[in-house]
Amino acid sequence: MRIPIIRLISIQLWKQSLQNRAVIFLLLILSALFVFAAYTGWKDYKVQEDIRIKHQAEVRHQWEEKPDKHPHRMAHYGYLIFRARYPLSFFDYGLERYMGNSVFLEAHKQNTVNFSEAGFSSGMLRFGEVSTAMILQTLIPLFIFFLGFSCISAERENNTLKVLLSQGVRWKELLAGKILGLLYLVGMVFMPVMLLSVVMWLFLSGFKFNITEFLRLLLIGGTYFLYFFIVCSICVMVSAVSRTSRSSLIKLIGLWLLFIVIIPRTAQAFGGYLHPAPSKIDFDTKVENELVKTGDSHDPNDIYYKGIKDSLLQAYKVETVEELPFNYSGYIMAEGEKISSGIYNRHWARQLEIYDEQNSVNHSLSFINPFQAVRDLSMALTGSDFNSYVSYQGQVESYRYQLAQLMNKLQMENISNKKLKENEKPYTISRDHWKELPDFKYQYLSQTALFQNEMASVLSLLVWALGLLVVLHFMSKKIKVS
C-alpha cells in the first residue's frame, strides 16, 4: 500500500466532514458533554472522598476514646468502615453507584456494604449516568457511524468510485484511508478528553505522581483507541458493501442497537437464567442453619463447646476453667469466631462461583460484541468493576476477623477467670488497648490480578482488531464497484 495515497484519502475525508455544519455542531455538543461529564465525575469523587476521610477519622477517634471496657463488649460495639474509591473512578463510574459506601464490623456477624447511592436514587439511574466512559463507549460509535456511513457508498452513488479506482487507487488504500480519516475526526475529541483526564487525575492526587495509576490511564487510552479502530473499520466495511448510503445507515444503526443495547441486556438476563444465585435471605438462612448445628459459643452449657472445655481441662491438667492460665471465655469466643467465619467464607465462596459463572456468559459474548469487552476492561482499569468490589469485601472481612480475634486475645490475656461477686465491678481493661487495632488499609487490585480477571476482554479486543484487518484484506479483493 502507498502511504501518501492513504494519507491523501484520509485528509480529504477529514476536510470534507469539517465542512459540514452538522458535524461541527455535533463536535461542539460532544465537547460540552465531555466537559460536563469530566467536571461532575471529578467533583463527585472529591466530595465523596472528603466525606469519607472526615467520617473515617471520626470513627477512629471515637473508637480510641472509648472508656475502659470489657474486650468482648468492644467487639460487639463494632467498627465502621467507609469504602474508598479508586482515584480513576471519576472517568468510569462502573458499579460505583450500586456498591454501597459503608460497612459495620462486629464479632460473629458479617454485615453487607450498605447505603449505595442507587438505593437512594430514582429508577432513572437504570438508564445510566453521563460519565466520560459512557460517552466514549456509546455516543462516539454513533458519531462515527454518522460521519462514515456514506464514506464509500456515497461515492458509489455519485459514480466517483469508478473514477478513483480507474486512476490507480487500490481498494486496500481506499479502505485504509477512510478508516484513518475517521480516526482523525475521533481523535479531535478523544485526545483532549484524555489530556483533560490526566489533568484532573493530577489535581485529585494532589500532583503526587503514581506510576500505577498513570499506567492505567495509558492503558485506558490504548483500550479506547483500539475500540474506535474496530468501530471505524466496521463503519467503512458496511459502507463499502452497501449499494446506497440509506441502506448503510440503517445497517449501522441496527448494529449500534445490537451491540450497545440488545446483546448486553440479553447477556445479563441469560447469565442469571442459566446460573441462578440465591437471594440474600436464602444465603443468610443457609449460613444461619449451619451455624446452629455447630453450637453457640455464648452458651456455657452448649454440648459442642463443652467438648472443647473438657479437652482444655485435660490438656492443662486442671479441674476447673478458673485454674486455666488464660481466660476461658475469651478462648471459646475465639474458637466460635473461627468456626462462624469459616462457615460464612465457605458459603460466600460458593456464591462468588455462581457470580463468576454468570459473568462468564458476558465474557464469552464479548467475542461477539466489542462494546462489552471495552466496558468491562474500562471498569477494571478504573477500579469500579465487580472484581474490585469482591476484593474490597474480602479485605473488610479479614479486617473484621482481625478485630474480633484481637478483642478475644485481649480478653484471654487480661481478664480473670474468677467469677465476679455480687457487688464487684465488671472486669475491664485499659482504653489504651483500643489503639492496638490498626487502621484499615484497602489494597487495590494489582495489575496482574486485573489482567487475569479481564483476560477475555483483552483477547476479545485483539481478536476483533486482527480479525477485521484480515477481513479488510480479503474484502479488498472481492468488493464490487457497483
Side-chain angles (χ1 to χ4, degrees):
M1 290 191 296
R2 294 164 293 179
I3 302 300
I5 298 296
I6 295 174
R7 187 184 298 116
L8 186 63
I9 294 171
S10 64
I11 292 174
Q12 187 268 340
L13 174 63
W14 180 67
K15 288 182 177 180
Q16 186 178 0
S17 299
L18 292 181
Q19 289 173 359
N20 189 335
R21 292 183 179 179
V23 173
I24 300 297
F25 179 74
L26 282 175
L27 284 171
L28 291 174
I29 292 294
L30 283 173
S31 299
L33 278 173
F34 275 122
V35 170
F36 172 76
Y39 174 76
T40 53
W42 172 79
K43 188 69 175 178
D44 178 71
Y45 176 86
K46 191 173 185 306
V47 170
Q48 292 288 344
E49 274 300 285
D50 289 344
I51 292 173
R52 184 192 69 82
I53 293 171
K54 174 187 174 183
H55 288 294
Q56 195 64 71
E58 184 178 344
V59 167
R60 182 68 190 187
H61 175 74
Q62 290 177 352
W63 171 267
E64 292 183 355
E65 292 301 314
K66 280 294 173 184
D68 297 350
K69 280 181 180 290
H70 192 287
H72 195 65
R73 290 190 64 188
M74 282 298 288
H76 282 289
Y77 169 77
Y79 199 80
L80 193 64
I81 287 181
F82 298 91
R83 185 174 61 84
R85 292 174 56 178
Y86 194 72
L88 298 181
S89 61
F90 74 91
F91 183 91
D92 189 342
Y93 300 153
L95 302 178
E96 280 293 335
R97 300 294 186 255
Y98 304 90
M99 286 183 179
N101 293 307
S102 62
V103 56
F104 179 66
L105 311 181
E106 58 181 320
H108 314 302
K109 188 176 181 182
Q110 292 82 5
N111 296 312
T112 56
V113 187
N114 294 314
F115 304 112
S116 67
E117 293 178 52
F120 297 96
S121 304
S122 66
M124 291 299 292
L125 188 62
R126 294 183 181 180
F127 292 95
E129 298 174 285
V130 182
S131 67
T132 304
M134 186 277 285
I135 299 172
L136 291 173
Q137 292 168 18
T138 61
L139 297 186
I140 291 296
L142 203 57
F143 176 66
I144 292 172
F145 289 166
F146 173 76
L147 290 176
F149 76 94
S150 62
C151 64
I152 295 179
S153 59
E155 294 190 13
R156 177 180 284 115
E157 290 175 306
N158 298 331
N159 292 320
T160 56
L161 185 57
K162 291 180 180 179
V163 177
L164 272 174
L165 296 176
S166 65
Q167 290 177 344
V169 176
R170 300 166 189 165
W171 267 112
K172 281 185 182 180
E173 295 167 346
L174 181 61
L175 294 173
K178 297 294 185 181
I179 292 171
L180 190 60
L182 289 175
L183 285 173
Y184 280 161
L185 289 166
V186 174
M188 291 178 61
V189 178
F190 180 58
M191 293 306 296
V193 166
M194 292 309 300
L195 289 173
L196 180 61
S197 299
V198 171
V199 171
M200 289 191 161
W201 164 67
L202 288 172
F203 269 105
L204 287 174
S205 62
F207 290 91
K208 296 178 181 177
F209 189 82
N210 184 304
I211 186 63
T212 301
E213 293 171 14
F214 181 70
L215 285 175
R216 287 201 183 193
L217 268 175
L218 291 179
L219 289 170
I220 288 170
T223 298
Y224 279 100
F225 176 80
L226 196 58
Y227 177 58
F228 296 145
F229 168 75
I230 292 169
V231 175
C232 290
S233 299
I234 291 173
C235 180
V236 172
M237 287 169 57
V238 170
S239 183
V241 299
S242 299
R243 291 185 176 276
T244 64
S245 298
R246 183 174 177 273
S247 66
S248 174
L249 181 60
I250 292 172
K251 291 172 187 174
L252 289 171
I253 291 176
L255 286 174
W256 185 85
L257 288 172
L258 184 68
F259 285 165
I260 307 297
V261 180
I262 298 174
I263 294 180
R265 299 289 182 184
T266 304
Q268 184 179 7
F270 196 56
Y273 174 77
L274 289 178
H275 309 286
S279 65
K280 186 178 185 304
I281 294 176
D282 292 335
F283 177 82
D284 291 341
T285 302
K286 288 179 181 178
V287 173
E288 188 63 31
N289 289 340
E290 190 168 345
L291 279 173
V292 170
K293 296 176 183 178
T294 60
D296 182 4
S297 59
H298 290 75
D299 182 3
N301 299 317
D302 186 272
I303 297 175
Y304 176 82
Y305 288 97
K306 187 177 183 300
I308 297 178
K309 172 184 172 182
D310 293 340
S311 63
L312 280 174
L313 295 178
Q314 184 177 359
Y316 284 90
K317 298 179 181 180
V318 294
E319 296 294 328
T320 62
V321 295
E322 286 80 5
E323 300 175 72
L324 290 171
F326 52 84
N327 182 268
Y328 170 73
S329 295
Y331 180 86
I332 290 297
M333 292 301 165
E335 286 296 308
E337 189 65 53
K338 187 185 299 181
I339 293 168
S340 63
S341 295
I343 291 172
Y344 175 85
N345 290 335
R346 188 167 63 253
H347 282 276
W348 179 240
R350 175 54 190 151
Q351 189 87 342
L352 290 180
E353 287 177 6
I354 297 174
Y355 291 148
D356 285 338
E357 291 170 349
Q358 292 179 350
N359 290 332
S360 67
V361 176
N362 182 72
H363 290 317
S364 299
L365 288 176
S366 66
F367 288 94
I368 300 173
N369 182 8
F371 165 75
Q372 289 176 261
V374 77
R375 182 194 62 183
D376 292 344
L377 193 53
S378 177
M379 287 194 297
L381 288 169
T382 55
S384 58
D385 63 321
F386 179 70
N387 290 313
S388 296
Y389 181 59
V390 170
S391 173
Y392 170 76
Q393 283 189 305
Q395 292 180 46
V396 166
E397 169 55 21
S398 297
Y399 185 79
R400 185 206 67 80
Y401 184 78
Q402 180 185 8
L403 182 154
Q405 295 297 53
L406 174 61
M407 295 300 109
N408 292 327
K409 178 174 177 288
L410 290 173
Q411 181 176 345
M412 290 173 63
E413 295 175 350
N414 299 285
I415 299 297
S416 173
N417 273 319
K418 294 180 180 179
K419 294 183 178 179
L420 290 169
K421 295 181 180 179
E422 188 174 341
N423 296 325
E424 286 184 321
K425 293 182 179 180
Y427 289 127
T428 61
I429 62 175
S430 171
R431 57 187 284 184
D432 294 335
H433 288 289
W434 312 149
K435 294 180 181 179
E436 294 180 23
L437 178 69
D439 285 330
F440 175 72
K441 302 284 186 184
Y442 174 50
Q443 299 295 323
Y444 298 109
L445 277 177
S446 66
Q447 304 283 62
T448 304
L450 186 154
F451 283 104
Q452 285 176 346
N453 294 330
E454 298 300 328
M455 186 58 67
S457 299
V458 175
L459 289 176
S460 170
L461 290 174
L462 293 175
V463 167
W464 264 94
L466 295 174
L468 285 172
L469 288 174
V470 173
V471 172
L472 285 167
H473 171 72
F474 286 103
M475 242 183 82
S476 63
K477 300 178 180 179
K478 297 185 178 182
I479 304 177
K480 296 181 180 179
V481 177
S482 58

